[in-house]
Structures are given as structure tokens and as C-alpha cells.
Amino acid sequence: PWHAWYNVPLFVRAWNAVLFYGRYSKYDWIVKMDADTVVHAAALREKLSFHSADPSQAIYWENFNGSTINIPFNFLGPLEVFSGQAVDEFAKRGAHTCLVPDVQVQGEDAWMDACMKELHVKPETDFSLLRNACTECPKMP
């Protein structure tokens, strides 16, 4: 609907590389950003520190209020934040639980949101993580 690419296989390959090298396990929070996203790392780190969410638990951050444009999820792809435990769950069970569809009808953000839910990774919510995320997006019917 947004003339977006159905990009799940590309992002699965990228996540597989992240998991293969394992460097993510040295960090509390793992951030996936789109190439055209700008983030101030220190400000994001400070924002996450103000929340009571425990990065040693399997959580991910819902970053957008989908009801504002009538979409059924609260997670958009420009900035995705996961705890190390959430990525561990994805590493352990994602390949068997979160299957890549043969025919894609969603982008990687909707796929990853559904995957986190399938893995029982707890969503935390901070809609201010992603500012101006979709102010130009048309409302969905």
C-alpha cells in the first residue's frame, strides 16, 4: 500500500549474518536501522535508560501508533530496537518459527513484529522512539 518493497528475504539474510558473527551478544540493546534513518546514539541510549524495561529480558520496542493510519501493528522498520535476549530468541527459534512466506504481502517490519509475537517476545511501547515516522503515509481503508 505504501509502494514499499516486500523485503523480508533480504532482511532475513542480514539478520542471519548478525547472528552468525554473534557480536550482538555483547550489548544490552540491538538496533536495526534503515539506511536512510538518522539516529543520535547517545540520545537513544539515554531514552532507553529511562524506561523500566530490563534488557536481560526478551523484549522489543513498539515504536509507532499504527491506529493513527489504520494499520494493525505498532512497529515500523526505520528504527527497530530489541534486547539481546530477544535477538537470542530469534537466533534459537526464529528460523523454525518465523517462516519467510513464498509470496510476500508485508514488509520486513510487519514480518518481524509477527515473528516477535510468535516467539513470545514481550513488546514494550514508546511511540516517541520514531519521530515523524509516517506523517505522510496515507490512511489505510
Side-chain angles (χ1 to χ4, degrees):
W2 296 325
H3 307 289
W5 291 56
Y6 294 130
N7 53 4
V8 174
L10 173 68
F11 279 85
V12 168
R13 287 199 325 260
W15 274 111
N16 286 340
V18 168
L19 302 177
F20 176 80
Y21 289 105
R23 290 181 54 198
Y24 75 88
S25 64
K26 297 178 184 178
Y27 303 97
D28 289 340
W29 300 107
I30 292 74
V31 178
K32 175 266 175 200
M33 294 177 11
D34 285 353
D36 60 350
T37 299
V38 176
V39 67
H40 189 284
L44 178 59
R45 189 177 297 114
E46 182 177 354
K47 180 178 256 318
L48 292 172
S49 74
F50 287 126
H51 288 284
S52 61
D54 181 357
S56 70
Q57 301 298 310
I59 61 171
Y60 73 109
W61 287 93
E62 294 182 323
N63 57 16
F64 180 74
N65 184 354
S67 68
T68 62
I69 59 168
N70 298 328
I71 60 172
F73 56 93
N74 295 323
F75 186 72
L76 291 181
L79 181 72
E80 300 173 9
V81 181
F82 306 89
S83 68
Q85 283 299 117
V87 177
D88 281 343
E89 284 300 312
F90 182 67
K92 290 176 200 166
R93 301 184 302 125
H96 296 58
T97 304
C98 308
L99 302 179
V100 177
D102 292 331
V103 178
Q104 288 189 253
V105 294
Q106 62 193 26
E108 60 81 25
D109 47 4
W111 179 82
M112 184 58 94
D113 183 52
C115 178
M116 290 290 110
K117 287 177 171 65
E118 279 289 313
L119 296 171
H120 304 288
V121 172
K122 179 183 175 207
E124 293 285 341
T125 302
D126 184 343
F127 294 154
S128 74
L129 286 176
L130 196 55
R131 293 183 188 248
N132 299 321
C134 207
T135 55
E136 301 302 317
C137 294
K139 286 199 178 238
M140 302 300 291

